[in-house]
Amino acid sequence: MAGFDIRGPVELRAIPHPAVTVAVEFGDRPIDIRGATGVMRSEGLVAGLGFHAFQARAEDLTCIQIRLSPLVAHPLLGIPLAELREHVVALDDLWGRGTARLRERLHQARTWRERFAVIGAELSGRLDEGREVEPEVAWVWRQIVASRGRPAVRDL
C-alpha cells in the first residue's frame, strides 16, 4: 500500500505488475485514464492482472494505491479475476456506493496513518464478506510466486 499527495498537473504511465492494482483518489479530483480500451474518468480504479500500460492524468493527485495478490483480489473485489484480465475499470463499478463512502472517510482522515487504517478496515471487512479461493488455486499461485514464474503450467 502506498499513499500519494502530488500538487500540480500529474502525468503518470502505469505499467503492468503481477498483482491487481487498486487506486482510490480522495482529494475530489478525478483521474483521466487513457489506454488500450479507451478513455475513462474516475476517482478510483482497478487494474487487473496483465493490464495494458495506460496513461493517468490529474490536476492534483491525492490517492492510495493497493497491490493485491490474486488470492485476496477475488474475495475483495467480488468478481472472478478473469473478468478483469487486461482491463482497467472504475472502482465504483465493482463496489458501488461503498466507494464514495470510502473516499469520504479517507478525505476526513488527517494523517496517512489514519488513511491506511481506514483502507485496512475496509479491506478486512470486504475480505470477511468475500468468497474463499479454491485451495488448488492458492497452491498454484504460491508455487508460481516461490519459483518466480519459472514452472510450466502443465507441471503445476
Side-chain angles (χ1 to χ4, degrees), residues 30-68:
I31 304 166
D32 293 319
I33 300 154
R34 186 177 313 274
T37 57
V39 178
M40 174 176 77
R41 176 171 226 162
S42 182
E43 292 169 324
L45 64 88
V46 178
L49 288 172
F51 69 85
H52 297 286
F54 63 88
Q55 297 292 127
R57 185 180 194 295
E59 289 308 311
D60 291 310
L61 185 65
T62 306
C63 75
I64 289 183
Q65 174 187 293
I66 309 141
R67 291 216 168 123
L68 303 171

Side-chain angles (χ1 to χ4, degrees), residues 1-6 24 26 61-66 112 115-116 119:
M1 190 173 345
F4 301 94
D5 189 8
I6 305 169
V24 183
F26 55 91
L61 185 65
T62 306
C63 75
I64 289 183
Q65 174 187 293
I66 309 141
W112 284 106
R115 292 172 187 135
F116 292 143
I119 288 288

Side-chain angles (χ1 to χ4, degrees), residues 1 66 68 72 75-77 95 102 105 116-131:
M1 190 173 345
I66 309 141
L68 303 171
V72 296
L76 281 173
L77 299 174
W95 286 355
L102 173 60
R105 290 188 354 246
F116 292 143
V118 166
I119 288 288
E122 178 75 21
L123 297 180
S124 293
R126 289 186 176 277
L127 189 59
D128 291 342
E129 297 170 11
R131 294 186 246 176

Side-chain angles (χ1 to χ4, degrees), residues 129-153:
E129 297 170 11
R131 294 186 246 176
E132 291 185 29
V133 173
E134 296 293 326
E136 297 85 0
V137 173
W139 181 85
V140 167
W141 180 252
R142 284 193 295 272
Q143 298 305 308
I144 291 170
V145 170
S147 67
R148 300 179 191 238
R150 286 183 287 233
V153 171

